[in-house]
Amino acid sequence: MAQFKVGILGATGAVGQKFIRLLQNHEWFKIEALGASERSAGKSYKQAANWIESIPMPEDVSGIEVRNCTASEFGDVDFVFSGLDSSVATEVEADFAKAGIPVISNAKNYRTDPTVPLLVPEVNPDHISMIDKQTFTEDGSGWIVTNPNCVAVPLVMSLKPLYDNFGIKSVILTSMQAISGAGYPGVPSLDILGNVVPFIGGEEPKIAAEPLKLLGRLNDGVLQHADFPIQATATRVPVLNGHMLSIAVQLEKEADAEEVKKALKEWKSPIGDLKLPSAPNFPLNVFDDDFYPQPRLHADSQKGMQTAIGRVRNSNVLSISYIAMAHNTIRGAAGGAILNAELLVKKNYIK
Ligand code: NAP
């Protein structure tokens, strides 16, 4: 497999740093260029970034000069990952796509666009074909693919086997979200230490909408979203990494906890045979121990790419309830985007 040259937009931020860390020694992708705001452009990466990863800054990136996020400065890359602030992602990502540089984005800006795939490779790999409807370039060389909100990822990973086996009527959930989800410097320490904040601005509408697009079915190239209500309460908790969700589901076809557990345990990933470097061998881990999963113990499982599920039990209000948890900046952000890129290589969209 040839190595592709990649750029990272928003390289100095929390997600950008996670891209840099996860792309060290990647078999297929080599970091060629880093971009950030004009505050950082022109500086070496070491001068521009306030490094927050728990490994030393890789030497091969520390001396790279940070560029402005304009497509004309990225002519030497095959595609870019975007960890851009949403205040600028609309214009910047379109600028790259129009210049024929594919964009694999973490930002929310294009997630609801009807021609842009919102992709979780284990859930909706067929949605990639939506790229063919994009009109950024005449020859189709420039396009945008997004990955979902970091809560939507463990939510949809756990809902997919239930949706396929039993159908879903409604979902109610409360998320307990780690502070790393707010970027850097993020939530003030005086707000979060020894505390729980019962609201995260802008989060609940995304959690309610994105799983319906992810579970949607393509009919003649047109995506029909899944149709059931999701009520989400998003809270911030004093946890470093790993978003945990308490979920209750009303199924269409009634099933008890044992049947639901069996469906979750027997679920097979549709990309299991593709040998994608970042794909976890076991994308779902269903615990029987009532004390699991826990963010500190399990967020890093399978290199942070696994969704952990536990406490699957019958509910006397809706059909069943359970806990789901995944690493928010890996599975829910940079790692998910890298897995998307690997699938896009396999499917010949990146070439
Ligand atoms: P962050 O730490 O605040 O980083 C933002 C990045 O955007 C920085 O590199 C910053 O560069 C750059 N930027 C800001 N203004 C810019 C401009 N005018 N032109 C070019 N670059 C600009 O945020 P984050 O947590 O990494 O999140 C990045 C994106 O990913 C956001 O859209 C967020 O919603 C999404 N996301 C985050 C998570 C998570 O868990 N953190 C999960 C999923 C999705 P400077 O350093 O030069 O200012």
Side-chain angles (χ1 to χ4, degrees), residues 62-314:
S62 62
I64 294 181
E65 183 178 321
V66 177
R67 306 179 189 183
N68 279 302
C69 290
T70 47
S72 56
E73 294 195 24
F74 281 75
D76 50 350
V77 303
D78 295 304
F79 69 95
V80 291
F81 289 112
S82 166
L84 281 171
D85 193 87
S86 58
S87 61
V88 293
T90 303
E91 290 78 21
V92 174
E93 292 179 0
D95 172 46
F96 276 74
K98 283 179 188 162
I101 303 172
V103 179
I104 298 175
S105 178
N106 277 275
K108 65 179 181 187
N109 307 49
Y110 287 95
R111 287 181 191 154
T112 56
D113 187 301
T115 66
V116 172
L118 178 62
L119 191 63
V120 173
E122 294 94 333
V123 171
N124 59 340
D126 57 313
H127 289 196
I128 281 182
S129 63
M130 290 163 70
I131 290 174
D132 303 341
K133 298 235 158 156
Q134 295 186 20
T135 54
F136 290 106
T137 49
E138 271 181 23
D139 64 0
S141 59
W143 40 262
I144 298 175
V145 164
T146 56
N147 55 338
N149 166 277
C150 39
V151 171
V153 176
L155 178 59
V156 80
M157 285 291 296
S158 63
L159 290 180
K160 173 70 176 163
L162 310 188
Y163 188 63
D164 289 349
N165 279 283
F166 312 110
I168 294 176
K169 269 191 183 164
S170 60
V171 176
I172 298 178
L173 74 128
T174 299
S175 66
M176 292 153 266
Q177 300 184 216
I179 50 176
S180 58
Y184 187 86
V187 192
S189 53
L190 273 179
D191 287 347
I192 197 64
L193 277 173
N195 201 15
V196 173
V197 181
F199 176 68
I200 304 176
E203 202 75 348
E204 290 159 5
K206 291 184 267 180
I207 301 169
E210 292 178 11
L212 304 179
K213 183 172 181 185
L214 286 153
L215 294 171
R217 296 201 170 103
L218 274 175
N219 277 336
D220 290 332
V222 179
L223 187 68
Q224 292 187 316
H225 291 213
D227 186 15
F228 54 84
I230 299 177
Q231 187 196 310
T233 303
T235 78
R236 187 77 69 192
V237 296
V239 162
L240 204 50
N241 294 309
H243 288 353
M244 180 131 123
L245 287 56
S246 172
I247 305 168
V249 181
Q250 182 67 51
L251 300 169
E252 248 166 28
K253 184 174 149 229
E254 276 304 336
D256 64 20
E258 283 315 307
E259 291 169 290
V260 166
K261 239 187 205 182
K262 188 166 179 283
L264 290 165
K265 285 183 174 176
E266 289 181 355
W267 172 81
K268 289 264 175 295
S269 165
I271 58 156
D273 297 333
L274 296 183
K275 296 194 168 63
L276 305 181
S278 303
N281 293 331
F282 303 99
L284 288 184
N285 188 10
V286 185
F287 287 102
D288 292 313
D289 186 327
D290 274 345
F291 285 94
Y292 291 168
Q294 297 179 17
R296 205 171 60 199
L297 299 181
H298 304 115
D300 290 322
S301 297
Q302 300 266 300
K303 296 186 187 158
M305 291 296 284
Q306 186 173 71
T307 297
I309 296 175
R311 306 228 51 218
V312 182
R313 61 206 161 113
N314 295 316

Side-chain angles (χ1 to χ4, degrees), residues 10 12-15 36-37 39-40 83-85 88 106 180-181 183-184 328-329 332-333:
T12 49
V15 172
S37 76
R39 293 180 291 276
S40 306
L84 281 171
D85 193 87
V88 293
N106 277 275
S180 58
Y184 187 86
N328 51 298
T329 57

